[in-house]
Amino acid sequence: MVIDEEHAYRVCSARDARFDGCFVHAVRTTGIYCRPSCPAVTPKRRNSRFFLTAAAAQSAGFRACRRCLPDATPGSPEWNLRADLAGRAMRLISDGAVERDGVSGLAAKLGYSERHLTRVLTAELGAGPLALARAHRAHAARLLIETTELPFADIAFAAGFASVRQFNDTIRMVFASTPSEMRGRGKAPVGTPGRIVLRLPYRPPFDAVGLLAYFRARALPGVEEVTDDSYARTMSLPHGEATVRLTFPVDHVLCSLRLADVRDLGAAVSRVRRLLDLDADPVAVDSFLGADPVIGPLVRAVPGIRVAGSVDGAETLLRLVAPFEGVPLQIPDGALTHLYSAGDHPVTEALASGRLVVDVGRSIEDLTEELAHLVGSAVADEVAMRVLGAPDVLVLPRSLRDMASHGPDWRPWRSYAGAHLTRKAATS
């Protein structure tokens, strides 16, 4: 990936928030990197550098701006658009794969050697897997510092650091602050005991009503709870069970997490963001589809539509093909009483044995080909769209299959075109 630096500089000069999370703007004279919309005075062009990731900026010796908090932005929509090795790796790193399995485990999941993976990520993104994972750990640590009263030693290990010293050094390097200073100026909402409350940013507009309607139509009792203005569900995370409650104020999603193990914070946030499609670029989608004569009126009527994603690839697949069985939570959370589990089915057995893997590290082509043989192409396409965030997969209800002939006109955003048509059909 190559950044058009002249265009990037114009974006920063205009403080265009639509590009927050797509790249970072570093300033040679101050040693600081910012989000494109940072309100600080725009530096001269000759003093500006641009990086695709915060990790690349950190590796080049820059620290995060205290004013604009460049790590607290929506993620880049590139990781859903890209199905290559770099995109697959970024999705797994955001899910905490390096903290759990190391770089060797990440490389094994992707089917490449550590050396090749490091070479590709460094060439494509300006930072290797360790640097990208360190940026992920720093972000998770900042969330815990500012939103909990956990001791810093507990935060260090929960965020994936090997030692308290490494944690302190990284926080000082990335944020030019000590953990104590960051906690003193924390601006995020502080949760009640046992809960972590976060603000999740997105690029507006955002169709929360449509997401709630989608969840309501498919909610499983005990696993999910949907009200007029909130969605809650249970999750099975790498280190234990969790519950999440989501509400939708005007300019962000308010996320309340209850975790059995705080080491799962990063994975939980990443999965919730994917569930709500928070890293989408709705302006790009709406400007293209809004000009289409067939679905343009739908797009203009409902701007900012999102394609509901997934918090667990195996669950998403099994909900489409297998009978539901619940596993009781160790500690119920109101109406949330069970984790998702599926009954007997050939796919259940394939997943349990490891013969089938459905996670964000798979390529779209490989996963859909493998699933098509097991469960059919329609299910395979929906799994690719929801688990991998594939933006160009046309999934339609049976009543609208005749609209598929228009699919070529809606590329590369067929997933969103299908979401508009499905939403319209559900409300007709």
Side-chain angles (χ1 to χ4, degrees):
M1 294 171 66
V2 178
I3 296 176
D4 181 337
E5 296 203 351
E6 294 305 321
H7 178 255
Y9 186 74
R10 291 195 296 271
V11 165
C12 295
S13 298
R15 298 181 175 84
D16 193 333
R18 292 176 300 166
F19 293 86
D20 287 354
C22 296
F23 65 90
V24 296
H25 178 200
V27 185
R28 288 187 173 94
T29 51
T30 63
I32 289 172
Y33 70 90
C34 304
R35 62 171 77 188
S37 67
C38 182
V41 175
T42 305
K44 294 179 180 178
R45 172 66 183 87
R46 65 175 180 268
N47 292 325
S48 296
R49 291 185 65 184
F50 302 97
F51 297 93
L52 287 168
T53 63
Q58 292 165 20
S59 296
F62 294 92
R63 65 181 187 275
C65 175
R66 296 182 184 179
R67 186 173 182 181
C68 71
L69 296 177
D71 70 318
T73 63
S76 173
E78 281 287 334
W79 311 132
N80 286 343
L81 294 172
R82 295 181 59 162
D84 60 3
L85 176 59
R88 293 162 56 206
M90 282 297 290
R91 293 196 292 267
L92 285 170
I93 290 170
S94 295
D95 194 56
V98 174
E99 283 75 19
R100 294 192 298 271
D101 305 317
V103 176
S104 60
L106 173 66
K109 280 180 175 291
L110 295 167
Y112 291 88
S113 68
E114 291 183 53
R115 183 178 179 182
H116 181 71
L117 175 63
T118 300
R119 183 168 59 247
V120 168
L121 292 182
T122 302
E124 293 278 329
L125 307 178
L130 284 175
L132 292 163
R134 182 177 63 177
H136 177 263
R137 286 196 296 271
H139 174 59
R142 183 185 67 79
L143 293 177
L144 288 169
I145 290 168
E146 295 183 347
T147 63
T148 75
E149 298 299 326
L150 286 172
F152 293 141
D154 292 349
I155 290 176
F157 293 109
F161 291 97
S163 68
V164 174
R165 179 176 180 177
Q166 184 189 66
F167 161 73
N168 286 327
D169 289 346
T170 299
I171 294 300
R172 279 194 293 266
M173 186 197 76
V174 174
F175 301 111
S177 297
T178 66
S180 296
E181 290 169 343
M182 292 180 67
R183 177 161 282 175
R185 64 171 186 266
K187 299 177 182 178
V190 177
T192 57
R195 289 194 180 274
I196 298 171
V197 181
L198 312 168
R199 293 189 180 100
L200 304 182
Y202 56 76
R203 296 176 183 88
F206 180 72
D207 176 34
V209 173
L211 279 173
L212 286 170
Y214 174 87
F215 294 138
R216 184 180 296 109
R218 296 159 178 80
L220 295 173
V223 175
E224 297 165 290
E225 180 185 22
V226 187
T227 70
D228 290 341
D229 59 2
S230 69
Y231 172 68
R233 65 156 296 150
T234 61
M235 294 191 292
S236 181
L237 297 173
H239 297 101
E241 62 185 35
T243 61
V244 60
R245 295 182 181 276
L246 304 165
T247 55
F248 305 89
V250 174
D251 60 351
H252 63 275
V253 174
L254 197 63
C255 171
S256 175
L257 287 163
R258 192 190 75 176
L259 303 172
D261 191 319
V262 290
R263 289 179 295 173
D264 283 327
L265 175 65
V269 171
S270 175
R271 295 181 189 198
V272 170
R273 293 194 65 82
R274 297 187 67 80
L275 176 69
L276 302 181
D277 197 16
L278 295 185
D279 295 331
D281 184 351
V283 173
V285 175
D286 291 355
S287 62
F288 180 82
L289 294 179
D292 182 81
V294 176
I295 63 168
L298 301 181
V299 177
R300 293 189 291 274
V302 184
I305 202 166
R306 294 308 205 265
V307 175
S310 167
V311 296
D312 185 301
E315 176 190 317
T316 299
L317 170 60
L318 289 169
R319 286 176 71 147
L320 294 171
V321 299
F324 165 64
E325 291 181 3
V327 175
L329 282 177
Q330 293 182 11
I331 304 177
D333 186 0
L336 303 178
T337 57
H338 287 73
L339 291 169
Y340 178 84
S341 180
D344 290 337
H345 190 277
V347 172
T348 311
E349 297 172 5
L351 288 164
S353 68
R355 290 185 287 109
L356 174 63
V357 176
V358 182
D359 65 20
V360 294
R362 298 296 305 272
S363 72
I364 295 171
E365 294 79 8
D366 289 347
L367 182 60
T368 52
E369 181 179 355
E370 187 173 359
L371 289 179
H373 293 299
L374 289 172
V375 293
S377 59
V379 171
D381 284 346
E382 182 157 2
V383 171
M385 181 178 72
R386 304 208 182 279
V387 176
L388 303 182
D392 195 30
V393 178
L394 187 58
V395 174
L396 295 171
R398 292 183 183 277
S399 61
L400 296 176
R401 295 283 168 83
D402 60 324
M403 300 293 290
S405 61
H406 296 278
D409 298 330
W410 300 330
R411 287 181 164 175
W413 305 112
R414 288 183 296 170
S415 298
Y416 294 90
H420 276 288
L421 291 167
T422 301
R423 189 182 195 279
K424 177 64 176 177
T427 57
S428 297

